[in-house]
Amino acid sequence: AFLSFVQGGVLTPEMPDSLLIGVEDIDDERYLIGVIEGSRELERYAVNRGQALDLASIQISLRAVQSLEQALMHFEFRNSDLRRRYDGVKYAVKKLETLAYEVDLANKRAAAALGQD
């Protein structure tokens, strides 16, 4: 799903028929943990794109992680491993917001410096 997001902007691609095996081995908790870990991958991707001052990729990642955070707010995790991971999503949103701000500022500084030359 991460590769699909990077290539086409789609988080939930269709599973090819050749990969469907008909075994139901995923429970809700595992699924949510996987989705949350996916958000952490988006955070790492955005940080790497930040080094290239790619604000558009950072903003796309930020919106995706914010959407996930909004969806996860509807759950009541109590004091479980999922709660700690959900808290990590909140920190990822904050980090991505800060990163987007800093990259935008760096781009504006670079544009201003070019304008003065």
Side-chain angles (χ1 to χ4, degrees), residues 42-111:
L42 282 174
E43 178 189 1
R44 284 188 275 278
Y45 168 75
V47 168
N48 286 332
R49 295 309 307 151
Q51 293 173 346
L53 301 179
D54 183 2
L55 184 60
S57 294
I58 295 167
Q59 289 174 330
I60 291 170
S61 299
L62 173 59
R63 285 193 300 271
V65 176
Q66 283 174 329
S67 295
L68 175 62
E69 179 188 27
Q70 290 289 4
L72 291 174
M73 284 179 157
H74 297 287
F75 292 90
E76 189 173 326
F77 294 121
R78 311 227 177 209
N79 290 328
S80 66
D81 185 44
L82 274 173
R83 175 61 192 209
R84 287 185 292 282
R85 290 174 190 255
Y86 166 69
D87 289 342
V89 171
K90 293 191 294 187
Y91 295 123
V93 168
K94 184 175 175 71
K95 183 175 183 177
L96 290 173
E97 288 171 341
T98 303
L99 179 64
Y101 173 75
E102 290 174 354
V103 168
D104 187 40
L105 208 57
N107 285 338
K108 287 179 181 175
R109 281 191 202 132

Side-chain angles (χ1 to χ4, degrees), residues 1-10 42 45:
F2 179 69
L3 183 58
S4 171
F5 174 75
V6 171
Q7 291 176 342
V10 178
L42 282 174
Y45 168 75

